[in-house]
Amino acid sequence: MNKKNFFTRMCEKLDPLHQGPLFFKWTWVSLVGVFGAAWLLYLWRDGGIIHSLFENWFVFIPQYFTHEFAHRIGGGLTRSSTIGLWSGPMTELFFPIALLLVCWRMHGGRWLSSLVLYYLATCFHHTAVYCGDARAMTLHLTYSDFISTAGPGTPGDWYDMLGPLGLLEWDTTFAAIFYFCGALSLVLAFYSAWYYWNHTEEYLLQDAKPSTRVVTQNPSFTARITQEDYERDPFTGERFYNHWDELTKK
């Protein structure tokens, strides 16, 4: 299979209504601009307003409860401490990704997708913070019972996740990847909102178009209904006597 065709088919699967950034009208200038802005956000992620965009109470509360409830639910349903461990960080990341795909499958869901992209950016950033602290253990931790806490020096999720895999020394590398994904998602959130605003008429016309999907049917099951069919008894097949026909000499 041609690589280009495979990529196109994958994009169609992810975004069948062509609403997301995969189907934007990109130019070299816009591509360089988006990745350049993402790189600057990556470098300045700990400063001032940028840090506030990534970390604030509006995003921390849903992140926290999603993460901790996923620990409890994953471990409780499977009776596996390993699955319970991985459920928290993975659910925190994949939940907004799944929500984003749902938005792209909804007519008009593009506007909501910009907000979801922003939330995804904060989830990447939150994951990066904890992943990068795997060996350093400087963070205060809260357990999934929502009561117990632990101070610095306590191994976190990523220590227990990367350690058995022999990848603990890669914690800061993985964190850097998560940080950049968060920065890129944040730039795409703002860029997509701007793009939708500037292409409003185009998207409205797209939403107004009827479905072009052709439904095929076996010709043997199709039939033309005539006026006589309406005037026949459905059980006997005999034609009803219509007094109007007699008056009009039909």
Side-chain angles (χ1 to χ4, degrees):
M1 181 184 295
N2 189 305
K3 290 183 178 180
K4 184 177 180 180
N5 291 338
F6 176 76
F7 177 76
T8 303
R9 291 180 62 182
M10 288 299 298
C11 292
E12 291 281 354
K13 292 288 185 182
L14 295 173
D15 185 6
L17 298 180
H18 298 188
Q19 299 188 99
L22 292 172
F23 291 96
F24 286 176
K25 296 176 181 177
W26 293 99
T27 64
W28 284 110
V29 174
S30 59
L31 277 174
V32 171
V34 165
F35 279 94
W39 179 250
L40 292 177
L41 284 182
Y42 169 78
L43 295 177
W44 298 338
R45 60 185 179 272
D46 296 324
I49 191 173
I50 297 177
H51 179 76
S52 299
L53 285 173
F54 281 120
E55 295 189 28
N56 55 72
W57 284 101
F58 295 104
V59 294
F60 175 75
I61 295 299
Q63 287 172 355
Y64 175 75
F65 282 105
T66 300
H67 184 112
E68 300 303 335
F69 273 119
H71 275 313
R72 304 287 284 186
I73 295 173
L77 292 177
T78 62
R79 304 293 180 182
S80 168
S81 58
T82 302
I83 294 179
L85 172 66
W86 282 79
S87 294
M90 294 300 102
T91 302
E92 183 181 349
L93 280 181
F94 284 106
F95 174 70
I97 292 175
L99 192 59
L100 187 63
L101 296 179
V102 171
C103 290
W104 288 343
R105 282 166 169 74
M106 296 167 51
H107 286 283
R110 65 186 73 90
W111 293 104
L112 182 59
S113 71
S114 296
L115 293 176
V116 176
L117 271 171
Y118 167 66
Y119 181 61
L120 176 61
T122 64
C123 289
F124 271 123
H125 184 87
H126 184 257
T127 300
V129 170
Y130 281 87
C131 179
D133 190 64
R135 286 177 297 170
M137 303 182 199
T138 61
L139 298 175
H140 290 268
L141 304 177
T142 302
Y143 292 92
S144 58
D145 59 6
F146 300 100
I147 299 175
S148 305
T149 59
T154 304
D157 290 343
W158 285 94
Y159 180 91
D160 295 326
M161 291 162 60
L162 297 178
L165 298 176
L167 299 174
L168 192 57
E169 294 183 353
W170 289 74
D171 59 347
T172 53
T173 302
F174 291 134
I177 295 173
F178 289 139
Y179 275 129
F180 185 77
C181 288
L184 182 60
S185 297
L186 184 61
V187 172
L188 284 176
F190 286 102
Y191 181 78
S192 62
W194 172 85
Y195 186 90
Y196 296 144
W197 178 261
N198 282 274
H199 293 79
T200 301
E201 293 185 4
E202 178 182 334
Y203 280 112
L204 289 176
L205 289 174
Q206 176 182 321
D207 291 341
K209 287 181 180 179
S211 175
T212 56
R213 185 180 64 175
V214 178
V215 179
T216 58
Q217 187 176 10
N218 191 325
S220 62
F221 291 98
T222 60
R224 181 179 177 83
I225 300 177
T226 64
Q227 181 64 29
E228 291 185 358
D229 294 323
Y230 286 108
E231 296 175 355
R232 293 184 184 278
D233 187 306
F235 299 101
T236 64
E238 296 180 358
R239 187 176 180 183
F240 293 112
Y241 179 69
N242 193 329
H243 297 282
W244 177 255
D245 289 345
E246 183 177 352
L247 293 173
T248 56
K249 304 300 182 181
K250 184 176 179 181

